[in-house]
Amino acid sequence: MTTAVTSAAREAMAKLYRASEPEVLKGLLQHAAMDTDSRERVMGHASGLLADLRAAQSRGWVNQFLQEYRLNSSEGVALLSLAEAFLRVPDPETADLLIADKLGDADWRAHAGKSNSKLVNSATWGLVVGRVLVGEGTTGPLRRLISRAGEPFVRQAVGAAMKMMGEIFVMGRTIDEAAKRMRRPEHKGFTASFDMLGEAARTHADAERYLKAYADAIDAIGRDPAAGHSISVKLSALHPRYEVARWNECVPALTEMLEALAVQAASKGIALTVDAEESERLEMSLDIIGTVAALPSLKGWEGFGMAVQAYGKRARPVIAWANGLDRIMNVRLVKGAYWDSEIKRTQVEGLADYPLFTRKAATDVSYLAVARDMLDAENIRPAFASHNALTVATIMEWAGNSRDFEFQRLHGMGDGLYERLVRENGYHCRVYAPVGGHRDLLAYLVRRLLENGANSSFVHQLADERLTEAEILADPVEKIAAVGGRRHPSIPLPVALFGVEGHRNSAGLDLSDVATLEATVQAVNTPLPPAGGAGGGLPASSNGAADVEREPTPNPSRKREGNDVASAIGRAHAAFPAWSRTSVDDRATCLERLADLLESNRKELMAICVQEAFKTIPDAIGEVREAADFCRYYAREARTKLQSIELPGPTGERNTLHIEGRGVWATIAPWNFPLAIFLGQTVAALVTGNTVVAKPAPQTPRIAAAAVRLAHQAGVPEDALVLVPGGPEVGAALTADARIQGVAFTGSTGTARKIARALLDDETRPIVPLIAETGGINAMIVDSTALPEQVVADVIASSFRSAGQRCSALRLLLVQADVADTVIEMLSGAMDTLTIGDPGDPATDVGPVIDQAAYDRLMGYRESVRARWVKTLDAPATGLFVPPTLIRIDAVEDLTQEWFGPVLHVATWEAGKLSETIARVNAKGYGLTMGLHSRIARAAEVTEAEAAVGNLYINRSMIGAVVGSQPFGGEGLSGTGPKAGGPRYLYRFCAERAVSVDTTSAGGNATLLSLDEGGI
């Protein structure tokens, strides 16, 4: 390995990772451009290739499919949705519901007989018949005609169609079947790179299965090395936790496995390529690939290779890195495979910029620039994967007479593009050929179609007969130069995600960047200084928070606390008039300054969250971000909604509605969100003109004290926000004081009831508002159309993140009986990958619970139902660690209370009984969160209409509500509303005062005198 070259390349990657799009493209445009003569020759070649492609459309099923069923049409979406889910549905009842859902609303008759493809037309008539069967009711003529066949006929027809789609995109169900298919006449002159289907391992068993599949495939391909076929390997298929936070675990393990596969491939004389992964895994991938590339045992073998994604901003230095390795490297250049998920992840995590380009033309520019580098590189044997005629023609132009490279295409796509080049012009083309069961292809199939069928893709444009040749072959360099390399206007930077000027999205930390991760880990594990004042005297901890077995902070006598609370209320009461007269704009500005201070002090606040509240590092980041989001959101809401309003009335009368603060509010916060909820409640009360006496949970006073200090620094007067730490006695003293004009509380349902009684029992005090957010028995319902891998990932996050100590956490998993065994087996395997330990360790998934009382309560319950354990894990012997546990129950009704920890209950429900299942969950009286995993739109509609919950999550996890996007709060036993982080929250903190003035009493309405006299 040429160390200087590879080190310089890694430094360049770090600089480009999240650099601005124009900055990155500035260095690519010139390298991708060509002179006029070259451009003319390229256009001539591309025009010929385009003609070949169009001639092949009559036999290209996929091209015909995309032409007839565009992905922006309801029919196209319906077909993809059906293909994605149908083959994994085992029960006929749900299969019928899925078919009816996807075929029922689309206009299939409009497509009948319209395609040039007999195959597409045949499939369309089948869809017409299916639509009639599932959507026409019982009286239609065609329904009557084929009523004897009934739904089984439709299921068989749809199943055959889906398997046919599988044949198009999957080379074979086994490696032997795929190799045999490659010997067909249509593949003459082509070689294959076989990919054993599997997007990623979710369990160690998955990884072992994929490793064996790769090894078996190498053996099978190696029986005929002269055929020239190769194997593609996904690292994410070989380890269920291929994550930067698990670097020390997964990189050595993956290096060992890749070495074994590479040595095996070398011994068989075949090539092996490591596939590209998401951008956050690039540095890990390079470490693994670089180590294997340098192995003495592989010296002389020229079959080792890697894939590089051109949509990544780091693509050029990755090529420089590969060229700097002390060996020949095969490099496959692709456009990119994870674009939409990369964009969403960057936005959700509030990162500085995207790791990839936001315009398709920018990716094309990057591809051309990188392709030129590859052609010039001494140690790279290039492979160019593309279905774009212009890209292919450009590479042919730059390569000249050389044939020392290859083109690649996806199996099932690009028919007509390469046949003439291979069979008449001496070019080599390799087919990227997925291998596996049709049931396993679904996620892969849909993603490939979406990538290559997007409106901006070459494949989609080729299928659009309205586009001219000049439009299809437009120069991407000119397109990007015309917009100055700017980011796509519909894809804002994460900071501007909300689209409202002046309302910034909170900034996150990019933990996929190793330097950032290491600095963060060091910061959060720096021992806290000794607690003082409001800090409560908690012990400092460095990497040992998990070992602290503690009771809540000891409190002084109740009398002393009562005196302290009374004094605090007195201060806030005296400060109210001045603070309430402060303009809304000035109060909002204080909140915005506080948000900035939270972010500038993020690592210090995270350290307290980790060491005092036992937050994991990702949870600690989320805590600070949510607190900042509350501040900015409520500041914006106050400016727009707390202004006085002029109301209509008769002439000579002025009517005005004013919104004012009520007085002193008590905010009582929980320990599970000791910064975000503590500040969310408090700043809402402050910005509406109230003063606040804020009580944190007794377990987490230090983070509250830090937040209050920052609020005072931001401009909130010290007497307008007073901190009163302590236990239940402090809360009781607060709510008993008649000067308190409102209470915002988050915690248990039982405590909320006590507060409500305290506020009402004293008949001499005013009736004041109570905002209560409490817990829930939160259920997720899963039907047989759901993708098990997605379900399991969301269940793991919803149940066990934050050690299950979120009020929104999943407590009850309800799986359709037909797929329960499969889902539970996969879930159990995924639980095995969890790490339980020190929250200051980035590899930790599950930290300790909050205190000894919580630990004893949860461990006692687990022990009482030991006979029903489906799965549990080992936990450290010391510390407050409750092992994540899956418990089987017979029915919804068996779970009678919320267990606030990493304990998940699972039961089954029968197909066709979705409404009944929802009703049984509703009957428990809680109404906080509910989840649904289903590919049936009608199921989502039914759940939305019938679920009595504050927050419903469909096909995603049930935690992580975002301020302003997913207002949070429950109903029934789960809270009073209104929703925190929502547009109606601030009103509850306000008093409304209407003023009506009779202006005629002073001598008439002078404004009438200015009116036109007209005919008077």
Side-chain angles (χ1 to χ4, degrees):
M1 185 183 295
T2 308
T3 305
V5 174
T6 54
S7 297
R10 296 289 282 261
E11 290 177 8
M13 290 178 218
K15 292 177 181 177
L16 291 174
Y17 188 17
R18 299 193 185 276
S20 72
E21 206 154 325
E23 178 185 344
V24 179
L25 285 166
K26 191 185 301 181
L28 297 175
L29 284 167
Q30 186 174 357
H31 202 60
M34 63 188 79
D35 59 47
T36 303
D37 290 343
S38 296
R39 171 70 179 165
E40 288 181 359
R41 288 192 295 271
V42 166
M43 288 297 289
H45 288 143
S47 180
L49 293 172
L50 197 60
D52 287 346
L53 276 165
R54 283 179 163 159
Q57 281 198 348
S58 60
R59 67 177 186 271
W61 189 93
V62 176
N63 290 332
Q64 291 295 314
F65 172 85
L66 289 172
Q67 187 172 24
E68 190 61 39
Y69 297 108
R70 302 185 190 282
L71 299 186
N72 57 1
S73 70
S74 59
E75 291 81 12
V77 171
L79 279 179
L80 278 184
S81 300
L82 189 59
E84 196 275 337
F86 182 79
L87 292 180
R88 66 170 171 265
V89 179
D91 60 297
E93 187 165 6
T94 307
D96 290 342
L97 290 173
L98 179 67
I99 294 168
D101 187 73
K102 302 308 176 190
L103 303 190
D105 296 327
D107 183 9
W108 304 106
R109 290 181 186 272
H111 296 270
K114 298 292 181 63
S115 175
N116 294 326
S117 165
K118 292 181 180 179
L119 189 60
V120 172
N121 285 332
S122 175
T124 298
W125 279 113
L127 295 169
V128 170
V129 173
R131 166 70 178 87
V132 173
L133 277 172
V134 300
E136 196 177 75
T138 58
T139 59
L142 188 55
R143 177 67 187 237
R144 291 196 302 270
L145 178 66
I146 54 178
S147 60
R148 292 180 183 176
E151 276 74 10
F153 169 80
V154 181
R155 286 196 299 275
Q156 291 170 11
V158 171
M162 296 303 103
K163 288 177 182 177
M164 181 177 66
M165 291 182 73
E167 294 288 341
I168 295 298
F169 288 96
V170 176
M171 183 64 75
R173 286 165 291 187
T174 66
I175 189 65
D176 290 331
E177 184 180 305
K180 180 179 179 181
R181 189 171 178 182
M182 275 302 297
R183 294 194 288 269
R184 292 181 182 177
E186 65 264 28
H187 294 129
K188 181 181 179 181
F190 289 78
T191 55
S193 180
F194 295 113
D195 171 28
M196 314 310 292
L197 272 178
E199 291 297 294
R202 295 292 182 192
T203 68
H204 290 295
D206 288 342
E208 291 170 5
R209 186 171 67 254
Y210 288 135
L211 180 62
K212 184 177 186 303
Y214 286 135
D216 291 348
I218 291 171
D219 280 342
I221 301 167
R223 289 195 290 267
D224 184 16
H229 302 318
S230 62
I231 187 79
S232 291
V233 173
K234 286 188 179 72
L235 295 177
S236 56
L238 297 177
H239 199 288
R241 299 302 301 271
Y242 185 31
E243 304 161 10
V244 174
R246 298 290 192 95
W247 191 297
N248 294 335
E249 169 193 345
C250 66
V251 168
L254 283 167
T255 301
E256 182 179 341
M257 286 184 275
L258 183 60
E259 176 185 354
L261 293 174
V263 168
Q264 183 188 2
S267 70
K268 301 289 184 180
I270 66 171
L272 179 151
T273 299
V274 180
D275 262 339
E277 302 276 1
E278 294 90 340
S279 63
E280 64 195 83
R281 292 167 165 159
L282 177 62
E283 294 283 346
M284 287 192 297
S285 295
L286 296 185
D287 270 16
I288 295 165
I289 293 167
T291 301
V292 173
L295 290 171
S297 58
L298 297 178
K299 194 172 182 62
W301 175 53
E302 296 188 353
F304 191 48
M306 61 185 289
V308 176
Q309 302 188 103
Y311 72 7
K313 293 175 178 176
R314 298 172 289 180
R316 280 194 79 187
V318 172
I319 296 301
W321 177 87
N323 191 44
L325 300 176
D326 190 20
R327 64 172 299 123
I328 294 295
M329 285 291 289
N330 301 316
V331 178
R332 172 196 297 148
L333 182 63
V334 300
K335 295 289 174 77
Y338 304 96
W339 186 86
D340 53 349
S341 60
E342 299 265 19
I343 292 288
K344 181 175 181 181
R345 176 183 169 271
T346 302
Q347 292 177 341
V348 168
E349 296 189 8
L351 304 182
D353 208 327
Y354 300 103
L356 39 75
F357 300 107
T358 59
R359 294 179 188 263
K360 179 67 169 64
T363 293
D364 290 340
V365 168
S366 174
Y367 192 97
L368 294 175
V370 173
R372 178 167 272 180
D373 285 346
M374 290 169 63
L375 289 169
D376 293 340
E378 294 181 1
N379 296 326
I380 286 178
R381 185 173 295 142
F384 301 108
S386 178
H387 304 129
N388 187 313
L390 181 66
T391 301
V392 171
T394 303
I395 290 168
M396 291 166 57
E397 168 69 18
W398 287 344
N401 295 324
S402 172
R403 299 295 186 270
D404 192 20
F405 66 94
E406 68 182 30
F407 291 111
Q408 294 192 1
R409 69 174 178 85
L410 288 170
H411 171 60
M413 304 195 78
D415 290 340
L417 179 59
Y418 291 113
E419 281 78 0
R420 190 192 300 271
L421 296 180
V422 169
R423 293 165 187 160
E424 298 179 16
N425 299 318
Y427 291 95
H428 182 60
C429 183
R430 188 176 300 273
V431 179
Y432 187 85
V435 178
H438 293 158
R439 186 178 177 277
D440 297 325
L441 72 90
L442 301 173
Y444 173 92
L445 161 67
V446 171
R447 196 179 81 213
R448 291 297 184 224
L449 277 177
L450 287 172
E451 288 167 14
N452 294 280
N455 290 340
S456 58
S457 77
F458 182 85
V459 172
H460 189 282
Q461 291 178 335
L462 182 69
D464 190 343
E465 295 177 343
R466 298 168 297 180
L467 294 178
T468 66
E469 181 175 296
E471 289 173 315
I472 294 174
L473 300 178
D475 186 356
V477 173
E478 293 179 359
K479 286 183 179 180
I480 293 303
V483 298
R486 290 186 297 275
R487 183 176 22 84
H488 196 290
S490 298
I491 304 176
L493 288 177
V495 70
L497 183 61
F498 294 109
V500 178
E501 189 172 349
H503 182 196
R504 300 202 319 270
N505 184 19
S506 57
L509 285 174
D510 187 2
L511 298 184
S512 70
D513 177 73
V514 176
T516 301
L517 177 62
E518 289 176 348
T520 302
V521 171
Q522 181 178 359
V524 302
N525 288 296
T526 300
L528 299 176
L538 286 179
S541 171
S542 176
N543 284 325
D547 297 324
V548 177
E549 299 187 8
R550 66 184 183 193
E551 295 289 351
T553 306
N555 293 318
S557 69
R558 183 169 182 174
K559 180 178 180 182
R560 170 64 185 275
E561 284 189 341
N563 291 336
D564 289 346
V565 170
S567 174
I569 296 172
R571 289 170 55 195
H573 184 70
F576 171 70
W579 179 248
S580 66
R581 288 194 298 268
T582 302
S583 72
V584 172
D585 187 66
D586 286 347
R587 298 196 302 254
T589 299
C590 286
L591 266 61
E592 290 164 342
R593 284 196 294 262
L594 176 54
D596 294 343
L597 286 168
L598 290 167
E599 291 183 334
S600 62
N601 290 274
R602 173 173 43 224
K603 288 184 179 178
E604 294 84 353
L605 295 170
M606 287 173 59
I608 306 175
C609 286
V610 169
Q611 296 182 44
E612 180 180 63
F614 304 158
K615 294 271 182 179
T616 61
I617 292 174
D619 284 347
I621 294 172
E623 187 84 12
V624 179
R625 290 192 64 208
E626 187 174 0
D629 282 337
F630 273 130
C631 291
R632 293 194 178 109
Y633 179 74
Y634 290 146
R636 188 191 84 189
E637 287 288 293
R639 284 196 174 99
T640 58
K641 295 183 175 176
L642 300 187
Q643 305 299 327
S644 297
I645 303 171
E646 292 286 338
L647 301 175
T651 182
E653 184 175 285
R654 186 176 71 250
N655 298 294
T656 312
L657 182 65
H658 302 284
I659 300 177
E660 308 285 350
R662 289 177 171 272
V664 183
W665 272 69
T667 60
I668 302 173
W671 48 259
N672 63 334
F673 285 92
L675 178 65
I677 291 180
F678 174 82
L679 269 185
Q681 297 176 153
T682 298
V683 299
L686 286 169
V687 81
T688 47
N690 302 284
T691 54
V692 177
V693 178
K695 179 199 164 316
Q699 296 91 337
T700 53
R702 295 187 68 163
I703 190 65
V708 169
R709 284 195 297 271
L710 292 178
H712 292 158
Q713 187 178 334
V716 177
E718 290 192 7
D719 287 348
L721 171 58
V722 185
L723 183 70
V724 287
E729 296 85 359
V730 170
L734 261 178
T735 55
D737 196 302
R739 292 171 294 179
I740 293 295
Q741 295 300 300
V743 177
F745 166 79
T746 301
S748 71
T749 304
T751 303
R753 290 185 185 277
K754 292 178 182 177
I755 294 173
R757 283 195 295 268
L759 294 177
L760 291 174
D761 282 351
D762 185 351
E763 296 182 0
T764 65
R765 70 183 298 178
I767 298 173
V768 300
L770 167 64
I771 302 172
E773 294 182 34
T774 55
I777 297 180
N778 310 310
M780 178 188 288
I781 301 172
V782 178
D783 75 11
S784 61
T785 69
L787 183 64
E789 291 83 355
Q790 183 184 1
V791 170
V792 167
D794 289 342
V795 168
I796 290 287
S798 301
S799 300
F800 304 128
R801 186 168 174 178
S802 307
Q805 298 174 117
R806 296 184 183 221
C807 50
S808 59
L810 173 61
R811 311 292 180 200
L812 175 58
L813 177 63
L814 300 171
V815 187
Q816 187 178 323
D818 305 271
V819 294
D821 290 346
T822 299
V823 170
I824 291 172
E825 180 182 6
M826 186 179 292
L827 176 58
S828 298
M831 289 174 65
D832 281 328
T833 72
L834 294 173
T835 295
I836 308 167
D838 181 1
D841 183 341
T844 292
D845 300 298
V846 183
V849 295
I850 191 63
D851 59 22
Q852 189 71 45
Y855 176 85
D856 292 342
R857 185 164 51 250
L858 288 163
M859 294 298 282
Y861 170 67
R862 285 178 69 254
E863 193 61 33
S864 72
V865 293
R866 174 182 282 270
R868 290 186 169 273
W869 290 1
V870 176
K871 179 73 177 180
T872 194
L873 304 178
D874 292 331
T878 60
L880 304 175
F881 296 103
V882 174
T885 305
L886 183 63
I887 299 168
R888 185 69 178 256
I889 60 175
D890 296 327
V892 172
E893 292 72 20
D894 292 348
L895 184 58
T896 57
Q897 69 180 86
E898 176 187 38
W899 291 99
F900 210 73
V903 177
L904 174 63
H905 304 81
V906 61
T908 60
W909 60 285
E910 298 300 322
K913 294 186 177 181
L914 176 60
S915 289
E916 178 184 318
T917 302
I918 295 169
R920 292 168 68 188
V921 174
N922 287 344
K924 307 197 80 59
Y926 292 90
L928 190 56
T929 65
M930 184 182 290
L932 172 72
H933 266 273
S934 174
R935 292 298 190 264
I936 301 174
R938 178 59 183 159
E941 293 168 0
V942 167
T943 307
E944 184 176 354
E946 298 178 6
V949 294
N951 289 75
L952 175 63
Y953 298 102
I954 297 173
N955 292 329
R956 53 151 289 173
S957 75
M958 291 167 54
I959 61 172
V962 177
V963 174
S965 295
Q966 295 134 14
F968 187 79
E971 57 192 71
L973 295 175
S974 296
T976 63
K979 286 182 170 296
R984 299 182 179 92
Y985 190 63
L986 293 186
Y987 291 135
R988 191 64 172 270
F989 290 86
C990 301
E992 292 186 292
R993 293 167 183 163
V995 178
S996 183
V997 179
D998 181 3
T999 60
T1000 63
S1001 63
N1005 183 0
T1007 59
L1008 292 177
L1009 299 179
S1010 65
L1011 301 177
D1012 182 27
E1013 293 184 0
I1016 296 178

